[in-house]
Amino acid sequence: MTSNEIAHRDDQQAVATTEQAGPQPTDGSTALMQWAQEADLAYQMAQKLAVTSFVPQSLRNKPGDITAAILAGAELGLKPMATLKSIDVIQGTPALRAHAMRAVVQKQGHEIELVESTPEKCVMRGRRKGSDNWQTVTWTIERARQMGLLGKDQWKKQPQTMLVARCTGELSRLIASDALHGMPYVSEELEGTTTGEVLPPKKAPLSVAALTAPTPEPTADEAAYSVARDDQPGGWDQDAIDDSVDWTPEPDQQ
């Protein structure tokens, strides 16, 4: 048998082997399979963590929600335990706590600076990595009043903290929305259990326009709505409050 005949035979065998093996996985399918394996491992971890005090009350005994939080946190570069201290699931929507959102943005190399912070006013500025242009965001008590926020418990107790949180969310969306991976709001903006009351779904802001638009006068039905007290079901998530570095208890609460 000549060398040409041997080469031809080997080529035929190689083609036959490829046909028997079927189509090769694409990069996309390989990445999806890898993600599925990671999700399975995260769920196994979540089942063990779900009954512990290391997870916020809103996630306790909910391994599915814990899994989703861990996977979402991983996309932001957060390790599992850090995720449980940084993400709240509010009415089915994951949201970063203000301190965690600043950390995610700064980790990407973007800059955020607190220019002024008082109980009446907060000014923050930031710029994207490599940019010379600064974006400035200002939140005042008057702006919060126009949105109907001042009647809420945490705006009465911690106005300075709430102003910082609002500035954090708005500024982060302006300079680094791509770093937030689908979690553009801080927990405080969604009025969640970290520093605000849990509101009906219709109250949750869905866009920047919704966040900045003046609040209309309440209707008769809305005026009848009241927020549950801390000692009633559906009230505060004390574990989440204790875990947040942005929330400092009042002296009479310690």
Side-chain angles (χ1 to χ4, degrees):
M1 181 178 294
T2 65
S3 58
N4 288 336
E5 291 174 331
I6 294 175
H8 181 66
R9 182 197 63 187
D10 292 341
D11 289 341
Q12 288 179 323
Q13 290 177 343
V15 170
T17 301
T18 301
E19 291 176 348
Q20 292 175 359
Q24 297 299 307
T26 64
D27 291 342
S29 61
T30 299
L32 183 60
M33 288 187 290
Q34 182 179 355
W35 185 89
Q37 292 174 346
E38 293 175 355
D40 185 58
L41 290 173
Y43 185 74
Q44 294 178 36
M45 182 191 307
Q47 287 180 306
K48 298 176 182 179
L49 292 172
V51 296
T52 72
S53 59
F54 282 90
V55 299
Q57 187 65 41
S58 61
L59 293 176
R60 201 160 299 167
N61 296 314
K62 298 178 181 179
D65 285 353
I66 295 174
T67 301
I70 289 174
L71 293 172
E75 293 183 357
L76 296 172
L78 298 173
K79 293 184 178 180
M81 295 308 295
T83 293
L84 296 179
K85 302 294 185 182
S86 302
I87 294 178
D88 295 306
V89 179
I90 302 170
Q91 300 166 358
T93 301
L96 284 164
R97 299 181 185 182
H99 68 89
M101 181 172 286
R102 290 194 298 272
V104 167
V105 170
Q106 291 170 330
K107 186 177 180 180
Q108 295 293 326
H110 311 301
E111 297 179 68
I112 292 181
E113 292 183 359
L114 182 61
V115 178
E116 180 182 351
S117 178
T118 71
E120 298 292 326
K121 182 180 181 181
C122 179
V123 180
M124 297 182 75
R125 70 172 190 164
R127 62 180 178 182
R128 284 188 65 83
K129 180 181 179 181
S131 174
D132 294 328
N133 300 321
W134 289 88
Q135 300 282 348
T136 301
V137 169
T138 301
W139 264 85
T140 63
I141 284 295
E142 180 58 31
R143 184 177 177 184
R145 180 179 291 109
Q146 291 175 356
M147 293 183 64
L149 300 174
L150 298 188
K152 304 181 188 305
D153 194 39
Q154 279 307 297
W155 279 94
K156 296 177 181 179
K157 294 180 179 179
Q158 301 286 331
Q160 188 169 350
T161 298
M162 297 301 286
L163 288 172
V164 170
R166 287 278 175 163
C167 273
T168 294
E170 187 170 328
L171 182 60
S172 296
R173 289 189 292 273
L174 283 174
I175 67 171
S177 59
D178 54 329
L180 302 179
H181 291 283
M183 281 191 280
Y185 298 108
V186 296
S187 299
E188 293 84 348
E189 289 178 303
L190 292 182
E191 303 302 332
T193 55
T194 302
T195 50
E197 302 86 1
V198 176
L199 300 180
K202 65 179 182 179
K203 299 289 186 178
L206 300 178
S207 64
V208 174
L211 286 172
T212 57
T215 300
E217 292 297 323
T219 63
D221 292 338
E222 291 174 334
Y225 173 78
S226 61
V227 177
R229 300 197 313 268
D230 294 358
D231 58 347
Q232 292 178 332
W236 289 84
D237 179 356
Q238 189 61 44
D239 289 344
I241 294 171
D242 293 340
D243 291 340
S244 175
V245 299
D246 280 342
W247 193 90
T248 304
E250 294 290 327
D252 60 352
Q253 293 178 304
Q254 294 179 341

